[in-house]
Each structure stands twice: as C-alpha cells, then as structure tokens.
Amino acid sequence: MAELSILYFAWVREMIGRDEDMVAPPPGASVADVIALLAARGGGYAQAMARPEKLRAALDQNFVALDTPIGNARELALFPPVTGG
Amino acid sequence: MAELSILYFAWVREMIGRDEDMVAPPPGASVADVIALLAARGGGYAQAMARPEKLRAALDQNFVALDTPIGNARELALFPPVTGG
Amino acid sequence: MSAVVIGPDDFDAAAQCAALEAMGGGAVATFTGIVRGDNGLIALQLDHYPAMTKAQVERIVAQAQARWPLLGVRVIHRVGRLEPGARIVFVGTASRHRTAALESCAFLIDWLKSHAPFWKQEHFADGSTRWVEARVEDDARAAAWNDQATSGN
Amino acid sequence: MSAVVIGPDDFDAAAQCAALEAMGGGAVATFTGIVRGDNGLIALQLDHYPAMTKAQVERIVAQAQARWPLLGVRVIHRVGRLEPGARIVFVGTASRHRTAALESCAFLIDWLKSHAPFWKQEHFADGSTRWVEARVEDDARAAAWNDQATSGN
C-alpha cells in the first residue's frame, strides 16, 4: 500500500508537536478518513483533529475539499484556514 | 455694476488667445448668459463659445452648472471638461 | 509634509511610501500615473487653474477622509511639461484596513480625473498638439462612488 | 526580476515601483502590508508551506494576468519573524489602464489573503502567542471576484 506523507502547519503542527508523519491509508480513503484515523491516535492528534470543519487540506500541493479521495497522492497537508497577505 | 474676471483654460484660452478678460454682466445674468455675450464678440470668442455643452465653469473657484446665476461672484473660469490624473 | 502638492517638480515616490508606511496602519495603497509615449508623443503639457487646484484637491482628500478611516493621504499632481516615462500623479493612502486603503486610493484617482481642474495637451514629434478629451468612462467611474454611498455599499 | 518572491528578506519597495513604472504603461498600483504593533504585539511569525507557496502565488498572478491587461506584476511575501513596522507583503501591478492596475492589485491582495498557504502567529510582550484566525470577510472579498467574473462585470 502506498505511503502518504502528511504535513502539518500552524496550530495543527503545534498541537501534534510534529512537522510530518507517514501513513498508509486504506484504499478509497478520503482526506476526512485520514483525519479520523489521525484523531484516533489520541493526545495532540485528537486535539488537532477534533473539529475537522476547522481544518483545510492540500493534496500534492493543491487545495482540496475534505471529502476528496486520497487516490494516488503522495503528500497531504493539513492546516487551519490561511491568514497570509 | 460689479466687474467680473473671466479666466480661460486649455483650448478655450488657445482659441481666444487670451488668459482672461474683465466684463460687467447685466444683473441676473447666468454663466450661460456670459458665454453668449462672449460668443457675440466673434472671432476666437465665437469659436470657443460655439458649443456651450462642451464647456465647464467655476464661479469663485467652485464648479457650477452653466445655468447658475453670476450673483456677486468675482471670478468666472471657463474651460473644457477636466483631464487630470 | 503637506497632504497635497501641486507643482512642476518630480517627487520621491519611495519617500512618500515610507512616510505612509510609518503611520502605524497595516495597509498602504498607492497609484502612480506615468506619461505614455504612444503614437509619437514627445511630451504632455499639463495646464491647471492655480487658484482653484490645491483647494479642490484638498476638498477631494477631505471627502476620502470622511468616508474611510485613513491615517494618512498623499496626493501629488505635477503640472507643466512632462516627457514620456515621467510621473504625472501619485496617490497614496494609509489605513489600518486593507479595503479602506485600496478603495480610498481608487476613489481619489477617479475623482482627481473628473473633479480637479487639470488639462492635458499632447505634443507630438511632428509638431502637432492635441488637447486630451475627457472620457465618459472617467465620469462614470467617479459617479459610481456616489451611487455606492447612496446605496450604502 | 522574478514576478514572485517568497522569503525572509525585506525588500526595496522603491526599486519595485521603479521597475513597474519603467514598463511603459501609464498606471502603477501598489499595496504594501505592514506589521501593526497593536495590543502589545512584539512580532508576527509567518509560517508557510514552502513546497506549495510559490507555485500557488504564481497561479494567482497568472489568474490576474488572464483577467486584466497587465504589463507587469510583482508579489513579495515575507516569512519568518517580523516586528511591528516591518513590511509583510507587497503587490504591484502595471498596466496601460488605471482600472486594470487598481483592480488587479486589489484582486491579488484579496486572493493572497484567502488562497496562499501562509499562517500568522502573534507574539506578545507577556510571552503569549496566538494564531491569527481567518476572517470571514476575507473569504467573502475573494469570492466576490468570482461573482464579478460570472456576472460579466
């Protein structure tokens, strides 16, 4: 099964205390499914993933909705809504 | 009767060939009446004043519509629509 | 530094921006107009109505300040002979709010175009000259700010 | 000079403006965002997603270029620790047309706010920190550009 790099930014990274993880999501999993898998790890993961509606995601560096299938993507980033500019 | 300074700008000044004139408009005269008086002088005046709808005016340095009475104003400026900026 | 400068001299846009940036807002918007060398144009001659110009521009600036929460405004409009590449006009606004800075900057340049007593004459390489005609769109853009104010947008 | 620069370094806004003014259009619009020292803020820390940031900003620039007739665009966004008074972001556009320069500049800063992967963390004098929350108005302003495109305005 393909490995997926997961990157964290802003308070997601701070709550988890890590910059990234590698996971092997089940076939057909969506971004939301991966978020649920991470939340099940408890601790900072559970805290960061507690309210998926507060999260935004990018698959292979393109913004996607949380119901998007992971497909063959290599990199999933999870972060709060952006606040640049 | 009060004397009124008339100032010309842009192509109005060029057609008339003068920067300014002094006139004594009749009591109750409007800006348009003064324009008609100037047009009656013929030559460059007639040319510059031929189409009043192409002219704009300021009385004592405030933009006014052409039907505005001269009243006690001391200075009338006649010019084309502005093109600054 | 006066908020409004009308005169023949070029200006240091960087110094203007630095002054606006130092006003403690988070947002500075600027617009700079430059002489284009189209169609053989060798110079623009900018005529104005000296006794009226500065007061009228200051009136427009006061309208912008009444309408948006601005920390600073700078308007510089040059007059006289200006060659291609020369700056004609600079508008700069500083605010705590991005939209206030951007909108007031656009308002000011739109209103300068249609409400300040300047006239441009084009001088061409063949010796001919032409007074620039006012554009209907410019009046429409300026009028649109009034419509917005009326409808509360 | 690249149209898009993402990095920790401050920049010479005057040089950016000079480059835009030299592009032969008649109109240059700029927006500069600056760190405000409100409520005891001593620094902003700007986080970003390095592999994605530049490509995403270039995509936004390409959208502006497709939508308005632009001669040049410059976007500079800083990252890392920035103290009050420091520039965070610069957007500059050059066009033959005043409205194209002004509108594209506003579009770019609105879209950077809502579509570029940057995150701001506030650091206060008392040692506390706070991640800035996205503002609903910012999304609404960015979305409004889409509505305009759809309705043909």
Side-chain angles (χ1 to χ4, degrees):
Chain A
M1 182 173 302
E3 288 263 294
L4 179 69
S5 294
I6 309 191
L7 309 184
Y8 309 115
F9 293 101
W11 54 252
V12 179
R13 188 191 58 225
E14 282 196 337
M15 285 185 189
I16 294 175
R18 295 173 60 86
D19 289 340
E20 57 180 295
D21 279 304
M22 295 294 291
V23 302
S30 68
V31 172
D33 294 332
V34 173
I35 289 172
L37 284 174
L38 292 167
R41 294 183 179 189
Y45 287 97
Q47 190 189 357
M49 306 294 158
R51 298 177 59 187
E53 75 276 12
K54 294 279 186 187
L55 297 175
R56 299 294 180 270
L59 264 183
D60 285 346
Q61 297 152 30
N62 291 294
F63 290 116
V64 294
L66 299 192
D67 60 1
T68 306
I70 300 296
N72 296 317
R74 316 277 305 254
E75 183 173 294
L76 169 65
L78 298 172
F79 42 76
V82 302
T83 57
Chain B
M1 180 174 303
E3 288 264 292
L4 178 70
S5 295
I6 310 191
L7 308 185
Y8 309 115
F9 293 100
W11 55 253
V12 179
R13 188 190 58 224
E14 281 195 337
M15 285 185 189
I16 294 175
R18 295 174 59 86
D19 289 342
E20 57 182 296
D21 279 307
M22 293 295 290
V23 302
S30 68
V31 172
D33 295 332
V34 174
I35 290 172
L37 284 174
L38 292 167
R41 296 183 178 189
Y45 286 96
Q47 190 189 357
M49 307 295 158
R51 298 177 62 187
E53 74 277 13
K54 293 279 186 187
L55 296 176
R56 299 294 181 271
L59 265 183
D60 285 346
Q61 299 151 30
N62 292 294
F63 291 116
V64 294
L66 299 192
D67 60 1
T68 306
I70 300 295
N72 296 316
R74 316 277 308 252
E75 183 173 292
L76 169 64
L78 298 172
F79 42 75
V82 302
T83 57
Chain C
M1 182 160 44
S2 168
V4 174
V5 177
I6 313 293
D9 298 334
D10 196 11
F11 50 89
D12 182 342
Q16 297 297 326
C17 292
L20 291 162
E21 289 176 14
M23 286 173 175
V28 172
T30 74
F31 178 85
T32 308
I34 299 141
V35 180
R36 285 204 308 257
D38 296 346
N39 306 318
L41 183 133
I42 56 169
L44 279 185
Q45 181 74 29
L46 268 124
D47 195 4
H48 76 131
Y49 181 0
M52 180 174 176
T53 315
K54 188 153 192 252
Q56 181 66 16
V57 176
E58 284 172 347
R59 212 172 295 169
I60 296 169
V61 168
Q63 285 177 22
Q65 286 170 321
R67 188 156 171 176
W68 288 276
L70 301 179
L71 294 166
V73 178
R74 293 280 179 272
V75 176
I76 304 175
H77 203 303
R78 294 177 69 191
V79 294
R81 183 183 170 91
L82 300 173
E83 297 181 356
R87 300 184 187 99
I88 306 170
V89 62
F90 174 87
V91 173
T93 56
S95 177
R96 293 175 55 83
H97 304 287
R98 167 171 106 262
T99 55
L102 289 164
E103 289 181 6
S104 62
C105 182
F107 167 89
L108 283 163
I109 187 68
D110 286 348
W111 276 62
L112 282 174
K113 288 243 171 212
S114 58
H115 290 76
F118 296 97
W119 299 274
K120 291 192 187 102
Q121 187 182 40
E122 297 173 327
H123 291 232
F124 296 100
D126 65 3
S128 64
T129 63
R130 189 182 81 93
W131 288 97
V132 174
E133 286 190 42
R135 302 187 332 153
V136 173
E137 308 95 275
D138 287 340
D139 283 346
R141 276 182 64 88
W145 290 106
N146 274 340
D147 296 345
Q148 281 187 15
T150 308
S151 68
N153 288 327
Chain D
M1 182 162 43
S2 168
V4 174
V5 176
I6 313 293
D9 297 335
D10 196 12
F11 50 91
D12 182 343
Q16 298 297 326
C17 291
L20 290 162
E21 289 177 16
M23 285 173 177
V28 171
T30 74
F31 178 85
T32 307
I34 299 141
V35 180
R36 285 204 308 257
D38 297 346
N39 304 320
L41 182 133
I42 55 169
L44 278 185
Q45 180 74 31
L46 268 124
D47 195 3
H48 75 131
Y49 180 1
M52 181 175 175
T53 315
K54 189 153 191 252
Q56 181 68 14
V57 176
E58 284 171 347
R59 212 173 294 170
I60 296 169
V61 169
Q63 285 177 21
Q65 286 170 322
R67 187 156 172 176
W68 289 277
L70 302 179
L71 295 165
V73 178
R74 294 279 178 272
V75 176
I76 304 175
H77 203 302
R78 294 176 70 192
V79 294
R81 182 184 171 91
L82 300 172
E83 297 180 357
R87 299 184 187 100
I88 306 171
V89 63
F90 173 88
V91 173
T93 56
S95 176
R96 293 174 55 83
H97 305 288
R98 168 171 105 264
T99 54
L102 288 164
E103 289 182 6
S104 62
C105 181
F107 167 89
L108 283 163
I109 188 67
D110 285 348
W111 277 62
L112 281 174
K113 287 244 172 212
S114 57
H115 290 77
F118 295 96
W119 299 273
K120 290 192 187 102
Q121 188 182 40
E122 296 173 326
H123 291 232
F124 296 99
D126 65 3
S128 64
T129 64
R130 189 183 80 94
W131 288 96
V132 173
E133 285 191 44
R135 302 189 332 154
V136 173
E137 309 95 274
D138 288 339
D139 283 346
R141 275 183 65 88
W145 291 104
N146 272 342
D147 296 346
Q148 282 188 14
T150 308
S151 68
N153 291 327

